[in-house]
């Protein structure tokens, strides 16, 4: 009875399309004037969703001694922002439901300043109020969103209330089943961004597709005066280009440039300044081309082998959702030490600062949206939701040279509805950014005979690069050594990345290589896999599963898993397993070869 009522409330509160458009994202928060709202926030756990009817968003106090107010943020427990709630309090480890956050902060209003409230991520559904006024709602746990709050801010003390609900939903993206922890909360930074009246909302400054000597792109200016223009400057290249804004506030441009090209060996970034009216922002941008030719991936016109590793956004040493620069730097440094030039950041867009670090450290990036396993492919609202998440990921990271691939999905079933869905996402991604490659990971391969495996997933038609997840030697009844005899074929003649293979072993569990969950089994599986994969002629790279052990509610085996997926090459405490060194050696040899 109670569950039915709770569901009813939820149903009525969520619009059918489960997506209230927030204001277009203000690009490049790091180069803006910001007021950081991170810190210790008040919080109320609300498993019965009574906060809405009790108007928690008013942050009310009794006005007299007889007044009834049945909540009190100031006397409620605290939560750190950013941070998932699950790992902040033992009683919240498995909590899925609504949580109310409240934070008071001072503000001084100034003339000719527009202010935006920017939330880096809130998993999964959120509603936001400032000083009792509802700003809006947002769906999707891993992409940023913002609201203009110029008119809602007060001089002096302000009260911000955010309800975040991580209830898994059949019509969610992802849906109800994942192999990672459903960390709830304000998992990334919250800030105010101040911009002038007329401001640069977003921009795309990249090399034109396949053109190492031409920069092309656009700038969008909001509230521009008629006839206004925009200037793009790259002082180190002695470039200063001005373009007139159309009535829509958009200017498109292309101009000749001869930048040193960004690559893993030389992750060169240029200072790029964009100005229009009184607004001016400076970003650090790298320039490179990325294309395919037959079954090869070309970086800056030359074939490249992607020596990769998959990684979740899981915090090293303490578990939980990663959010600090230190977390991200540790993960990416481990990938570099493994010999990687590529990271597959699964299964959702990671923190913006991780992508910026990848730019600086010279790691190519696969960025993915959480279209994972079974979702409601026939539901138009789900497609809108997936598109919105893809759009916001692209709008946030489109100027990062490290990003070479937008990935649309992981391990989805072969149905007509699914393939149409991926086709639409692929078209949409290309309409937003035509310079990067489009991919998706499929596990829908078949055994043609015991020694011949084939990937014919029809979504391959819409992709530039095929992603293949195969767990030979771990799932199914084949042994790791069977890989030595296996040949692969692919219906589409495109570059192939083996986006996943692997096996589980807790650090320090030893035995012979036939014994499951030992480091020896995992290392042996890697040796046979590498032998098999080296024989795939279309192989353009790989990103084995996975850099570090991560929490997963599906992994219950006591003493071995303890609710962690143990397929990491590194444990959640930072210890390297034998398989780490097997892959490292292979990558060292690969780095010395010509692809
Ligand atoms: C997969 C999924 C990944 C899982 C992994 C596993 O195929 O893409 O999310 O965590 O397998 O460990 O089973």
């Amino acid at each position: 009875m109670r569950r039915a009522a709770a569901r009813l409330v939820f149903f009525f509160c969520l619009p059918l399309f489960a997506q209230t458009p927030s204001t277009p994202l203000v690009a490049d928060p790091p180069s803006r004037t910001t007021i950081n709202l991170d810190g210790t926030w008040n919080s109320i756990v609300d498993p019965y969703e009574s906060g809405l009817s009790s108007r928690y968003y008013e942050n009310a106090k009794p006005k007299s001694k007889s007044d009834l107010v049945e909540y009190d943020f100031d006397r409620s427990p605290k939560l750190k922002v950013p941070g998932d709630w699950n790992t902040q309090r033992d009683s919240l480890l498995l909590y899925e439901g609504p949580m109310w956050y409240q934070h008071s902060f001072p503000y001084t209003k100034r003339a000719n300043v527009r202010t935006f409230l920017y939330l880096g991520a809130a998993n999964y559904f959120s509603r936001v109020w400032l000083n009792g006024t509802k700003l809006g709602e947002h769906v999707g746990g891993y992409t940023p969103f913002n609201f203009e709050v110029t008119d809602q801010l007060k001089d002096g003390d302000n009260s911000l209330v955010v309800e975040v609900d991580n209830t898994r939903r059949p019509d969610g993206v992802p849906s109800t089943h994942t192999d990672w922890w459903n960390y709830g909360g304000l998992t990334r930074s919250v800030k105010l961004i101040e911009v002038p009246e007329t401001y640069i909302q977003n921009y795309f400054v990249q090399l034109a597709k396949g053109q190492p000597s031409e920069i092309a792109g656009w700038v969008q200016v909001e509230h521009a005066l008629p006839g206004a223009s925009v200037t793009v400057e790259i002082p180190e290249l002695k470039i200063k280009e001005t373009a007139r804004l159309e009535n829509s506030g958009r200017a498109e441009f292309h101009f000749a440039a001869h930048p040193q090209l960004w690559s893993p060996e030389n992750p060169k970034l240029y200072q790029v300044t964009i100005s229009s009216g009184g607004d001016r922002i400076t970003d650090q941008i790298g320039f490179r081309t990325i294309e395919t030719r037959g079954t090869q991936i070309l970086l800056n016109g030359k074939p490249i082998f992607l020596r990769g590793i998959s990684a979740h956004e899981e915090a090293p040493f303490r578990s939980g959702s990663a959010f600090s620069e230190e977390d991200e730097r540790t993960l990416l440094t481990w990938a570099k030490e493994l010999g990687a030039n590529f990271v597959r950041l699964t299964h959702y867009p990671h923190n913006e600062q991780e992508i910026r670090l990848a730019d600086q450290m010279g790691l190519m990036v696969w960025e993915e949206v959480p279209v994972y396993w079974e979702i409601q492919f026939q539901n138009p609202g789900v497609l809108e939701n997936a598109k919105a998440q893809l759009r916001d990921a692209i709008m946030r990271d489109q100027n990062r040279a490290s990003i070479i691939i937008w990935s649309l999905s992981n391990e989805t079933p072969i149905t007509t509805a699914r393939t149409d869905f991926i086709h639409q996402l692929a078209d949409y991604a290309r309409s937003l950014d035509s310079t990067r490659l489009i991919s998706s990971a499929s596990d829908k391969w078949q055994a043609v005979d015991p020694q011949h495996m084939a990937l014919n997933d029809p979504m391959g038609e819409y992709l530039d690069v095929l992603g293949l997840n195969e767990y030979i030697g771990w799932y199914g009844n084949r042994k790791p050594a069977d890989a030595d005899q296996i040949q692969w074929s692919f219906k589409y003649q495109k570059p192939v990345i083996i986006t996943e293979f692997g096996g589980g072993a807790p650090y320090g569990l030893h035995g012979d290589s036939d014994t499951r969950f030992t480091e020896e089994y995992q290392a042996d599986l890697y040796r046979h896999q590498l032998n098999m994969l080296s024989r795939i002629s279309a192989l353009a790279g790989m990103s084995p599963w996975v850099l570090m052990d991560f929490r997963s509610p599906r992994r219950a085996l006591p003493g071995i898993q303890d609710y962690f997926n143990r397929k990491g090459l590194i444990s959640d405490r930072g210890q390297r397993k034998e398989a780490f060194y097997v892959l490292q050696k292979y990558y060292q040899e690969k780095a010395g070869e010509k692809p």
Side-chain angles (χ1 to χ4, degrees):
M1 180 61 199
R2 177 194 65 76
R3 280 203 62 83
R7 247 183 267 138
L8 206 63
V9 171
F10 202 64
F11 180 79
F12 281 119
C13 296
L14 270 182
L16 181 63
F17 283 79
Q19 181 74 25
T20 312
S22 49
T23 324
L25 285 175
V26 179
D28 193 14
S31 74
R32 290 287 181 188
T33 304
T34 57
I35 297 165
N36 194 326
L37 300 182
D38 294 345
T40 306
W41 290 35
N42 300 322
S43 66
I44 300 177
V45 188
D46 184 19
Y48 285 22
E49 181 70 279
S50 42
L52 263 193
S53 51
S54 300
R55 298 167 170 267
Y56 287 0
Y57 48 87
E58 289 179 345
N59 187 25
K61 303 285 170 208
K63 291 190 186 62
S64 69
K65 61 185 182 184
S66 62
D67 210 6
L68 176 64
V69 179
E70 285 191 276
Y71 68 95
D72 185 345
F73 274 115
D74 294 330
R75 289 195 290 137
S76 294
K78 314 292 170 207
L79 282 174
K80 282 190 210 114
V81 174
D84 63 84
W85 63 59
N86 311 73
T87 57
Q88 295 194 47
R89 222 180 285 160
D90 288 347
S91 61
L92 296 177
L93 183 64
L94 286 162
Y95 179 66
E96 295 184 313
M99 173 77 75
W100 290 78
Y101 285 85
Q102 189 276 335
H103 187 61
S104 300
F105 62 91
Y107 190 76
T108 308
K109 284 171 84 92
R110 282 178 293 132
N112 305 322
V113 169
R114 308 175 85 100
T115 310
F116 291 81
L117 173 69
Y118 187 99
L119 301 100
N123 189 28
Y124 168 80
F125 170 66
S126 33
R127 299 181 171 96
V128 186
W129 290 263
L130 182 60
N131 297 323
T133 301
K134 187 165 176 187
L135 301 175
E137 303 181 348
H138 182 260
V139 173
Y142 305 96
T143 39
F145 53 105
N146 59 203
F147 304 99
E148 181 164 4
V149 291
T150 314
D151 296 337
Q152 285 78 24
L153 281 165
K154 295 187 305 195
D155 265 327
D157 209 29
N158 289 267
S159 169
L160 177 62
V161 173
V162 186
E163 182 200 11
V164 185
D165 187 343
N166 70 337
T167 305
R168 284 170 292 129
R169 299 174 47 88
D171 64 351
V173 180
S175 187
T176 46
H177 287 79
T178 62
D179 188 25
W180 71 89
W181 210 264
N182 180 23
Y183 291 122
L186 293 169
T187 50
R188 296 183 192 153
S189 267
V190 179
K191 51 181 79 85
L192 296 172
I193 301 182
E194 294 184 331
V195 298
E197 273 296 331
T198 296
Y199 68 97
I200 297 157
Q201 181 252 319
N202 208 341
Y203 51 88
F204 184 80
V205 183
Q206 294 279 283
L207 289 178
K209 183 84 183 168
Q211 303 293 328
S213 307
E214 184 186 340
I215 291 177
W218 51 264
V219 179
Q220 177 70 41
V221 179
E222 290 301 304
H223 310 284
L225 297 173
S229 59
V230 59
T231 301
V232 178
E233 288 170 84
I234 311 177
E236 211 181 321
L237 295 174
K238 301 196 175 15
I239 285 172
K240 182 170 183 179
E241 293 283 332
T242 299
R244 194 160 290 284
L245 295 170
E246 292 161 19
N247 291 343
S248 59
R250 188 176 166 105
E252 307 220 342
F253 57 82
H254 58 97
F255 50 82
H258 300 282
Q260 265 183 57
L261 300 178
W262 183 97
S263 70
E265 295 72 37
N266 179 28
K268 168 74 186 162
L269 302 178
Y270 287 90
Q271 186 179 306
V272 176
T273 299
I274 301 171
S275 43
S276 183
D279 198 16
R280 180 183 169 87
I281 49 177
T282 297
D283 200 353
Q284 307 295 321
I285 298 182
F287 298 100
R288 52 100 197 90
T289 62
I290 192 79
E291 298 161 281
T292 65
R293 185 176 60 203
T295 57
Q296 291 178 320
I297 294 178
L298 310 182
L299 175 72
N300 299 324
K302 296 197 201 86
I304 184 151
F305 185 82
L306 306 180
R307 306 187 307 269
I309 189 72
S310 295
H312 265 291
E313 192 176 34
E314 179 100 355
F317 305 112
R318 63 180 157 79
S319 300
S321 175
F323 55 78
S324 68
E325 183 175 335
E326 193 189 343
D327 291 340
E328 315 292 8
R329 195 176 285 284
T330 302
L331 292 171
L332 296 187
T333 301
W334 285 344
K336 290 285 272 194
E337 288 169 359
L338 179 67
N341 61 9
F342 170 65
V343 278
R344 174 177 178 233
L345 300 182
T346 56
H347 281 301
Y348 39 77
H350 290 203
N351 206 306
E352 179 178 0
Q353 104 210 321
E354 188 173 5
I355 319 294
R356 287 181 178 272
L357 271 176
D359 260 19
Q360 293 162 25
M361 292 170 72
L363 281 162
M364 293 174 280
V365 171
W366 159 303
E367 182 156 316
E368 187 163 309
V369 288
V371 174
Y372 182 88
W373 292 352
E374 301 273 351
I375 65 165
Q376 292 179 354
F377 291 105
Q378 271 164 312
N379 180 337
V382 171
L383 178 62
E384 286 314 305
N385 181 349
K387 279 172 123 177
Q389 297 194 41
L390 182 63
R391 176 199 65 208
D392 292 337
I394 294 177
M395 289 300 122
R396 191 192 70 177
D397 293 335
Q398 60 192 346
N399 290 302
R400 305 283 71 85
S402 53
I403 302 228
I404 56 165
I405 293 174
W406 300 120
S407 170
L408 310 176
S409 67
N410 181 72
E411 299 188 350
T412 51
I414 299 185
T415 61
T416 312
R418 184 294 309 250
T419 305
D420 285 352
F421 191 102
I422 298 297
H423 184 182
Q424 294 197 56
L425 281 187
D427 285 353
Y428 187 53
R430 290 193 177 100
S431 75
L432 296 173
D433 175 7
S434 61
T435 68
R436 288 175 175 86
L437 307 178
I438 303 296
S439 193
S440 262
S442 176
D443 62 337
K444 299 299 177 286
W445 51 274
Q446 299 130 4
V448 180
D449 65 48
Q451 290 170 5
H452 174 193
M453 309 299 145
L455 179 69
N456 301 329
D457 189 328
M459 74 174 168
E461 186 178 342
Y462 307 109
L463 308 176
D464 298 312
V465 175
L466 309 176
L468 168 64
N469 293 356
E470 53 81 16
Y471 279 88
I472 287 173
W474 189 257
Y475 296 128
N477 40 26
R478 295 182 186 84
K479 298 255 180 321
D482 293 343
D484 295 343
Q485 310 304 325
I486 289 175
Q487 304 292 336
W488 283 89
S489 67
F490 299 87
K491 177 171 175 193
Y492 301 95
Q493 297 313 297
K494 299 186 179 186
V496 172
I497 302 177
I498 306 302
T499 32
E500 289 180 32
F501 70 82
Y507 171 78
L509 185 64
H510 292 286
D512 62 57
S513 59
D514 288 333
T515 305
R516 282 267 177 181
F517 289 114
T518 60
E519 284 198 44
E520 286 73 11
Y521 188 108
Q522 189 191 33
D524 189 53
L525 182 150
Y526 267 70
R527 286 189 196 98
H528 291 294
Q529 278 280 338
L530 295 171
N531 176 18
M532 175 182 77
L533 302 183
S534 308
R535 285 179 277 110
I536 297 178
S537 59
L539 190 75
M542 61 178 78
S543 54
W545 195 252
V546 59
L547 180 63
M548 190 188 78
D549 292 351
F550 59 95
R551 271 191 212 272
S552 169
R554 304 165 59 86
R555 309 291 172 178
L557 194 62
I560 303 266
Q561 295 175 319
D562 301 313
Y563 295 98
F564 277 81
N565 183 316
R566 296 288 181 200
K567 295 191 188 73
L569 295 176
I570 301 179
S571 77
D572 51 299
R573 302 283 133 186
Q575 300 131 315
R576 292 173 187 193
K577 306 177 193 173
E578 267 189 51
F580 178 96
Y581 300 103
V582 174
L583 187 62
Q584 186 186 49
K585 181 159 174 287
Y586 179 79
Y587 280 167
Q588 279 163 355
E589 287 163 10
K590 268 284 181 207
E593 282 173 17
K594 284 232 170 311

